[in-house]
Amino acid sequence: MKLKEIELDIPYRESEDRLQQIQEKRGIDRQEAIKIDYELHWKAKRRRFQLETRCMTAMIERIMKPVKTENCWKLLFECYEEIEENEVVKLLGVYVVRTKFSLEKFWESDSYNKKKMIIETILAKVNEIKNNITFDLENINMACEKIISLGYVNEWVWGKPLKLGKKYVHIEMKHEVQEMYIYMVFFYAEGEIINKILLAHTVPDEWNYYEYLGELVKISDNSAALVTKKGERLIGVCKSGGKLEKQLDSNSS
């Protein structure tokens, strides 16, 4: 088996005051109050946390060398203000570890420091649990160190470059804390960039931005289209020295 996913999560934390208020107001038992409290006060916060930490966890997954395991495909770091034990819980191929994490500090931080906090948390916890894990975690350490050296910038080229006459074009992805940006980049063979055009931006979740990644096709020696999986064409026109542009065409390629 191979380790495929790394995730940070904030499990639901009960608030006795809120639960009591819900029970008294609605005349329900504690378990029903917990369900309502989760939907009203925790679900959206948890989703936001998963999205904002995905920038760095996805980068680790992308750049780390393969990690072979006996029965683990995912490492799940559950974040708490305080923790009492360092136990690793194994559940259906998911290794769950608790880690100390200041959620208040995270929400107050800017994007750069959020990224820094995520990587520092993972590095510290991996070094804590490495003796309690049956597989080698060094590749995760190496990926985190690489991310630090890159200034926490998560950028990569999707697919293969396309030749357009004397130049080339490719799709560049930039994964930020709150958004994913998709660019079309025109460049010469030597690497000199002619144009970089913003085609789309979406929430930083694979389920959302993968929908854009269908096929890169040539239109002319100066234009190309990124055809989405729904058939929409996002067209980029190369104009040396011009402004960044975005054109949309709902016709299929």
Side-chain angles (χ1 to χ4, degrees), residues 94-132:
V94 179
Y95 279 31
V96 182
V97 294
R98 292 188 172 190
T99 185
K100 190 173 181 179
F101 191 93
S102 173
L103 194 56
E104 181 179 357
K105 180 182 176 182
F106 183 79
W107 295 137
E108 292 176 349
S109 297
D110 58 19
S111 292
Y112 177 84
N113 283 297
K114 283 181 178 178
K115 295 176 184 179
K116 188 171 182 286
M117 192 173 174
I118 294 162
I119 295 301
E120 288 177 348
T121 296
I122 292 174
L123 269 175
K125 197 62 187 182
V126 162
N127 284 320
E128 281 183 29
I129 65 172
K130 62 183 180 182
N131 294 328
N132 299 332

Side-chain angles (χ1 to χ4, degrees), residues 6-13 42 46 49-50 53 57 74-91 94-103 121-122 125 128-129:
I6 294 173
E7 182 182 347
L8 268 65
D9 187 25
I10 47 172
Y12 170 67
R13 301 168 198 178
W42 200 262
R46 189 181 190 187
F49 183 76
Q50 290 170 335
T53 57
T57 56
K74 179 176 182 176
L75 271 180
L76 178 61
F77 297 85
E78 291 188 340
C79 300
Y80 295 87
E81 296 293 337
E82 298 291 339
I83 56 171
E84 296 180 356
E85 73 281 331
N86 206 26
E87 183 183 5
V88 178
V89 178
K90 304 171 185 178
L91 181 64
V94 179
Y95 279 31
V96 182
V97 294
R98 292 188 172 190
T99 185
K100 190 173 181 179
F101 191 93
S102 173
L103 194 56
T121 296
I122 292 174
K125 197 62 187 182
E128 281 183 29
I129 65 172

